[in-house]
Amino acid sequence: MTQETPPVIEITGLHKSYGALEVLKGVDMAARAGDVVSLIGSSGSGKSTLLRCANLLEDSQEGEIRFEGEAVRWKGTGHNRRPADAGQVRRIRTNLSMVFQQFNLWAHMSILQNVMEAPVTVLGEDRAEVEARARKLLDKVGIGDKCDVWPAQLSGGQQQRAAIARALCMEPRALLFDEPTSALDPELEQEVVKVIKDLAGEGRTMLLVTHDMRLARDVSDHVVFLHQGRIEEEGPPDTLFGAPKTKRLQQFLSHTVSA
Ligand code: ADP
Ligand code: MG
């Protein structure tokens, strides 16, 4: 990618409060096409909030969010600021597919229906085409034989892989992962880690919130350490994990499993 190509996601000076609680205090972050950017930091530092602001699931009060160079248009200011253009929000959100800690599969739909649902109902795509794509994606994440079962019949690792297939079926420009492995037992965690590594290897653009420092070190082009709503330190994974500069990052890393 040349420097001229605008980042897939670019956030500048983002401020976000819940009432009087300021959670993001001026955050800058960007992911270019093919970049894997990991967000690390203690619980409550604002990682999930940043991810949710990036795909406009949450409002923010100040700062800019750009998707492939296109700035989100706002109306109002401060706590009254909202996106001005519902069509733009929909377009951005459908291009930034999210994978959640708790999978969030629909319990009353089969695995195949879960993967097909949004492309058919939100994007209005042809059902047969979507089904063919969905089956391929379920194969790719290693659960092609689970198309017709209910989510409750799968292990956590299988459910999360189904959720990843569902996110991919939207053919998004970027994937946003919020602690995708932290609800899983260690042995199930690895099957999801493998899928995430494969996606990174394919050159997918990803924002990854994770507590798994080894995963962050292995897959990231860039790592961002958030502390109390600010970027305390950031850089390439080898530098950040190998030679952390700030006391806070040193402390944080000393409390996590070694990277
Ligand atoms: P992280 O993902 O890094 O653990 P979060 O982004 O979830 O952190 O939360 C950052 C801060 O915002 C925390 O203090 C949390 O309690 C608060 N917070 C998160 N979501 C809400 C909400 N919907 N309403 C009020 N406060 C919230
Ligand atoms: Mg979180």
Side-chain angles (χ1 to χ4, degrees):
M1 278 295 142
T2 61
Q3 285 303 107
E4 283 73 38
T5 314
V8 179
I9 307 167
E10 185 176 23
I11 287 171
T12 41
L14 198 73
H15 288 256
K16 161 74 181 173
S17 305
Y18 290 105
L21 177 70
E22 196 180 13
V23 175
L24 299 177
K25 302 168 183 169
V27 172
D28 299 326
M29 198 198 62
R32 293 186 172 276
D35 277 357
V36 179
V37 177
S38 290
L39 299 171
I40 61 171
S42 310
S43 177
S45 56
K47 306 180 298 295
S48 295
T49 302
L50 180 56
L51 221 54
R52 294 168 58 82
C53 286
N55 83 340
L56 307 173
L57 281 171
E58 290 283 356
D59 291 328
S60 49
Q61 284 80 47
E62 249 184 81
E64 291 308 322
I65 300 171
R66 285 193 170 72
F67 172 70
E68 297 189 328
E70 173 190 342
V72 172
R73 289 184 286 283
W74 307 101
K75 59 183 177 200
T77 55
H79 281 279
N80 294 317
R81 184 169 96 154
R82 303 282 179 274
D85 179 345
Q88 183 187 40
V89 171
R90 218 167 15 248
R91 188 156 37 79
I92 292 175
R93 205 176 282 157
T94 54
N95 272 296
L96 302 175
S97 281
M98 190 105 155
V99 175
F100 301 92
Q101 180 176 347
Q102 297 294 343
F103 332 134
N104 296 3
L105 296 171
W106 290 291
H108 63 289
M109 289 184 194
S110 73
I111 293 301
L112 182 66
Q113 287 169 333
N114 262 280
V115 176
M116 291 177 57
E117 175 67 12
V120 171
T121 62
V122 179
L123 303 179
E125 288 189 66
D126 177 72
R127 183 168 276 279
E129 275 171 33
V130 173
E131 180 172 339
R133 190 160 82 226
R135 288 184 183 278
K136 263 197 207 122
L137 288 168
L138 285 165
D139 268 343
K140 179 189 169 88
V141 298
I143 50 170
D145 57 333
K146 303 294 185 193
C147 286
D148 300 319
V149 308
W150 305 110
Q153 294 171 270
L154 297 186
S155 72
Q158 291 170 327
Q159 289 189 52
Q160 190 60 302
R161 286 184 281 150
I164 293 171
R166 179 177 62 176
L168 290 169
C169 204
M170 290 295 279
E171 304 194 307
R173 304 305 298 248
L175 290 165
L176 276 44
F177 290 92
D178 193 358
E179 306 261 14
T181 60
S182 48
L184 302 173
D185 296 335
E187 71 270 29
L188 301 181
E189 195 168 341
Q190 287 317 306
E191 33 183 73
V192 174
V193 162
K194 181 182 179 307
V195 170
I196 294 171
K197 285 185 176 172
D198 288 349
L199 293 171
E202 284 172 14
R204 298 260 176 192
T205 310
M206 311 202 286
L207 289 186
L208 172 65
V209 172
T210 185
H211 71 285
D212 182 340
M213 295 303 124
R214 189 148 38 130
L215 175 63
R217 188 168 192 160
D218 285 351
V219 301
S220 307
D221 298 289
H222 190 77
V223 182
V224 172
F225 171 58
L226 267 185
H227 178 78
Q228 296 181 355
R230 286 197 177 84
I231 295 178
E232 182 79 12
E233 192 168 338
E234 63 181 312
D238 285 346
T239 313
L240 216 82
F241 293 114
K245 290 186 196 69
T246 59
K247 266 267 161 322
R248 282 184 179 131
L249 178 56
Q250 288 164 8
Q251 260 165 14
F252 173 75
L253 292 176
S254 74
H255 295 306
T256 59
V257 190
S258 64

